[in-house]
Every structure is written in structure tokens, then in C-alpha cells.
Amino acid sequence: MSTAVQGRRGPRFYLAMAASKAAASGLKLLHRNAGQLPGVIAEKLDPAFITHIDKPERIVFVSGTNGKTTTNNLLNDLLRDNGVDLVDNRAGGNILTGVESTLVKNAGLSGRQRVQTAVMELDELSFRRVLPHVTPQFLLVTNLYRDSFSRNANPDFIFSVMSEHIPASTRLILNADDLISCRLAPQNRNRVYFSMGPLAEDTPEPQGIACDLTACPECGGKLEYDYCHLRHLGHARCASCGFTNPDPTYEVVAVDRAAHTFTVCEHAAPGEPTYTYRFGVYSLTNLYNLFAATVVAREMGISPDAIAASLERGINVTAARYAEQEVGGKRLVALASKGENSTATSVALDTIRREPGDKIVVLMLADAHKAESPVTTEYIGWYYQADFEYLTDPTFKQIVVQGVTNEDLLLRLRLAGIDEERLVMVETPEEAADAIDLTLSDTVFWAYDIFNGDDVERSRERLIKRIEEGSDVR
């Protein structure tokens, strides 16, 4: 049950409510998402709007530096498929004004909420502005890594902001494999942990040229790892103080990639039963996101059989983050990353590297929105914390570089030791499609910044036309 102190309402609140509702209605007529503008208007007219508006009885927030959007969308789809009437902010507003916009759209002019369940993504830095006024019933944190340079690159800073503002009564759902985020909010004793047991592709120590966990977060001692799944996520123990991962409530105990299934043991339930669920396209990040969504659904009372049935019906990672199609015998895959985020980009490149067979990759990592702004320049220092060395793998037959910072990225790729003969630099998405040499591989990947979806679509449609015409394709 969500609880929050509701301040005394006055004329400003009702004016803000009417104006923001009108803005939301107008944007809907224009087929716009209204992700933040209604909240912006409400804040202008009533600075305490978030305290005044009613809240749904049951609120779930999904946060974390990587995977929160995908996990939030999966959870929304999973709950709706099981008949849960809910409101969400997947239109794109995960900060205070986005949360307010969501509440506005779900409310009448009096501020009373129509639907009594809300499942919303929440930006980590927005904890300090939202959680003092909104107490969620559940809060899922997927993980904590370094994030974009321009916002919150330091995980310790993100941790401190989040940890300070998490309510003691909220049921926390935390990743036991992440020795950073699993320590959040020690004032909160209402905790659930999820974890993956050992996997075939594990490494003996953290991966990547930049590690977010180099020492014990409790005493600074040496961490001794049993295994790592992904970056610093894994199982470790401090050689000095003995600090280690918390025991999981939910644990993935088996993954069958051929059968597209994963098996979860519910350790806190009588008899520690296991349940098997289906996943779509495999990657470790996809599996973590889907697993986390199932854990929240279970905590919300959805049965294992109902969850399994939903996943069998095709609930999966949204096409906005992953899209795959086959055209003329060619496999075309678009895999989203997160702009200015070295971890997300490294994981995406590693996921592509692990795909079987030869491949071509188109790098579209420059932020298209920043490129269009006359007053904004993307800081490219993050390229030097991303693992472009993965692209030295001989299965990468061609690497096409596109975007406003393509010369900066080209330098980074050369410093990574990538053979210059495999590199092609182009200016536009269409030129990227034209530069692809389809005689080198039947599989093409687009690794792209999340704001470049339209550019990816233009490039992919151009390549599809080439394939269908068949003039220069074997």
C-alpha cells in the first residue's frame, strides 16, 4: 500500500490540475506521449503538486543504472497480461515531472486516482525529489554501474542519493549478485534478493577495462571472486572482513539456451520449489531483466503458472531495445545501448561478440539529439572506458562507424587494435547501409544509442531494399 503525506490543497493545486489535464489532452490529440509536459506545467503552478495529488494504492518503482526501462516494460506487459489494471510511465518520463504527468493522466480534476496500481520507471537521481513524497509498496533496483559522464558517472554518488531516500517500509527487491546495490538502504529491513547461480559463460573475475567494484565496499579489503556473470556482478567474498553476497530469495538454478528456458528456485517458500520459464532471444542482460520482472510479479501475487503462461504467449524484451528479422537469408539485428554509458555499450558489444558465426556491426553511438543541438556537445571521454577491444574478435568481418563523432570513435577503435581494413567511416544512416558488404557475412548488427532508433530504422530499411533488389548481394 502506497503511503505519502498529502499536503493541504488550495486554489493553486486545482488550477495546476486543470491546466496539466488540458495539456495532456491536447498532446494526446496531437498523438504525442505527454511524458513530462503536464508535470512541468503542474510544477510551475503548484510547486508542491507531488505532495497534493492523490497516489494510487499500490505503487511499484523500477530503477537501476542499466536495464530499468526494459525491465519496467516487461513487468508492465506481464502484469497487464494477467489482468492487472495499471498505469505506467513508459512514454518516457522517469523523473519527477514524468511521475507527476503519469499521476495527472490517471486522475480526475479533483486529483483522485482512477486506477489504483502504478508501475513506473524511476531515475536514480530522482529518488531525492520523488521518494520523500511517494512511498512505493515495491522498489526494484536492477544494478548499479557507472552511468553517463554528463549525469552521474560515479556509482558511489548514485548509491548515496538512492540509499538516503528509500523509505523504511518499502519492500526492496535487490540484485544479490551486485555487491554495490545489494547494500542500499540499511535502514530498510523489508528486503528480497534475486540471484543467478553459476553459468557456463562466467569469468573468474570482473570483466572490462573499467571496473566499478575494485575492493570490498565495506572495508576496502581484497575481494576474492568465485565467478562473475557480467562486469562486477557475481559471487565474491572479502578476504579481510568476510563481507559477501546476501542469500537469495529467488535464484536462477538452471539455464537451457537450446530450449530457451530458465529455472528459478524460490528459497523462501516451503519446500523451496522450482519453476521453469521461457525467454526469447538469449543474452545475459535480457535474462537478468526478465528474471527481475518475474520476481516482482511473484512478489505482487502473480502465480508461477500465470507468469509461465504469459511468457509462453510471447511477453519479451520490447522491440524498442531489441529487434531481429530475416530478409533474403540475411539476419538483421538492432541492439540498443545507452548513450554515454560505457557499461551498457560494453555489454552490447560483448553480447554481439558471443553470437555464433561471422558478423558485421554498424556502430551508431553518437547521440542524435545532442548532434542536432547548437549548444550541446557530446563528451566522448566515455569511449575510453568502453570495451571496444571486443571488436578485435576475428568474427567481426566489417565495422561501419556512423555519427557526428565518428572520427573520435574511429581513433578509439584504432587504439583498441582493430584492423583498419575492417573499418569503414560514413556520415549518414543511409550511407551506413550502402557501406555494408553483404558478401562478408549473412548477419548484420546495429549497436546504437537509445536516441538513435529512427536512424537505425532508416539504415535498416535501406539495407532491406538492397537485399530485396538483390543486385549486389550473393
Side-chain angles (χ1 to χ4, degrees), residues 67-192:
K68 60 179 174 287
T69 300
T70 300
T71 303
N72 180 67
N73 293 348
L74 283 167
L75 180 58
N76 274 275
D77 292 342
L78 186 55
L79 294 174
R80 283 198 171 95
D81 195 56
N82 282 280
V84 178
D85 192 11
L86 60 88
V87 62
D88 65 69
N89 65 341
R90 65 195 298 170
N94 67 359
I95 61 176
L96 173 61
T97 51
V99 171
E100 290 172 325
S101 292
T102 301
L103 298 179
V104 164
K105 288 183 280 186
N106 187 45
L109 285 174
S110 69
R112 181 177 177 82
Q113 297 293 303
R114 299 188 181 98
V115 176
Q116 292 302 319
T117 298
V119 180
M120 295 182 281
E121 176 184 342
L122 183 63
D123 175 78
E124 305 85 83
L125 291 185
S126 294
F127 276 43
R128 56 190 168 188
R129 298 196 66 196
V130 173
L131 294 186
H133 312 291
V134 182
T135 302
Q137 182 181 9
F138 298 102
L139 170 60
L140 166 68
V141 180
T142 57
N143 50 60
L144 282 180
Y145 297 110
R146 67 190 62 210
D147 204 348
S148 60
F149 266 65
S150 58
R151 292 186 61 251
N152 44 5
N154 189 310
D156 292 337
F157 170 61
I158 306 171
F159 178 96
S160 64
V161 171
M162 296 173 71
S163 191
E164 179 183 351
H165 294 96
I166 293 173
S169 61
T170 292
R171 190 156 177 81
L172 269 178
I173 302 173
L174 301 175
N175 189 342
D177 299 335
D178 181 9
L179 286 176
I180 298 176
S181 63
C182 75
R183 298 167 52 251
L184 280 165
Q187 72 275 11
N188 182 301
R189 303 287 180 174
N190 190 7
R191 308 166 84 85
V192 170

Side-chain angles (χ1 to χ4, degrees), residues 149-445:
F149 266 65
S150 58
R151 292 186 61 251
N152 44 5
N154 189 310
D156 292 337
F157 170 61
I158 306 171
F159 178 96
S160 64
V161 171
M162 296 173 71
S163 191
E164 179 183 351
H165 294 96
I166 293 173
S169 61
T170 292
R171 190 156 177 81
L172 269 178
I173 302 173
L174 301 175
N175 189 342
D177 299 335
D178 181 9
L179 286 176
I180 298 176
S181 63
C182 75
R183 298 167 52 251
L184 280 165
Q187 72 275 11
N188 182 301
R189 303 287 180 174
N190 190 7
R191 308 166 84 85
V192 170
Y193 295 103
F194 61 95
S195 172
M196 292 196 195
L199 300 170
E201 61 264 50
D202 288 345
T203 57
E205 57 187 20
Q207 306 147 24
I209 58 176
C211 181
D212 294 315
L213 190 67
T214 57
C216 173
E218 291 289 325
C219 75
K222 180 181 179 181
L223 286 173
E224 296 177 343
Y225 278 86
D226 297 318
Y227 52 83
C228 275
H229 297 315
L230 178 71
R231 317 308 284 177
H232 68 269
L233 303 189
H235 195 276
R237 179 179 301 275
C238 176
S240 299
C241 72
F243 173 71
T244 189
N245 305 73
D247 294 331
T249 316
Y250 299 84
E251 182 181 13
V252 171
V253 293
V255 177
D256 188 331
R257 293 182 61 172
H260 287 256
T261 61
F262 65 103
T263 301
V264 177
C265 179
E266 298 190 1
H267 292 294
E272 300 191 39
T274 59
Y275 304 99
T276 297
Y277 304 108
R278 177 169 296 278
F279 60 81
V281 177
Y282 179 82
S283 77
L284 199 49
T285 52
N286 284 350
L287 187 57
Y288 258 120
N289 295 336
L290 184 57
F291 176 33
T294 65
V295 169
V296 180
R298 287 291 293 123
E299 288 294 305
M300 296 179 70
I302 308 299
S303 73
D305 288 344
I307 293 171
S310 292
L311 299 183
E312 288 287 347
R313 285 192 288 269
I315 300 298
N316 210 324
V317 176
T318 174
R321 300 287 168 151
Y322 184 96
E324 178 174 342
Q325 62 188 121
E326 185 170 317
V327 180
K330 307 296 181 181
R331 182 183 174 216
L332 311 181
V333 183
L335 181 65
S337 178
K338 188 176 182 182
E340 297 184 273
N341 186 307
S342 60
T343 297
T345 297
S346 296
V347 169
L349 297 180
D350 191 31
T351 298
I352 296 171
R353 178 176 67 98
R354 292 170 183 264
E355 287 283 317
D358 294 337
K359 70 260 318 178
I360 296 166
V361 62
V362 181
L363 301 179
M364 304 177 74
L365 300 174
D367 189 314
H369 288 311
K370 288 188 176 181
E372 293 173 355
S373 171
V375 296
T376 304
T377 300
E378 183 173 358
Y379 176 61
I380 52 86
W382 71 274
Y383 286 164
Y384 293 86
Q385 291 189 345
D387 292 286
F388 289 105
E389 283 73 11
Y390 289 144
L391 297 176
T392 61
D393 190 289
T395 60
F396 287 100
K397 298 304 180 183
Q398 186 185 34
I399 300 163
V400 180
V401 183
Q402 185 273 327
V404 71
T405 60
N406 57 6
E407 292 183 347
D408 299 295
L409 182 52
L410 192 66
L411 172 61
R412 172 67 183 95
L413 296 176
R414 288 175 174 172
L415 291 173
I418 296 169
D419 185 354
E420 292 186 27
E421 293 185 358
R422 291 190 287 157
L423 293 170
V424 180
M425 188 171 69
V426 298
E427 295 296 327
T428 69
E430 291 81 5
E431 288 175 359
D434 293 341
I436 293 170
D437 184 352
L438 288 167
T439 66
L440 298 176
S441 175
D442 291 332
T443 304
V444 180
F445 287 89

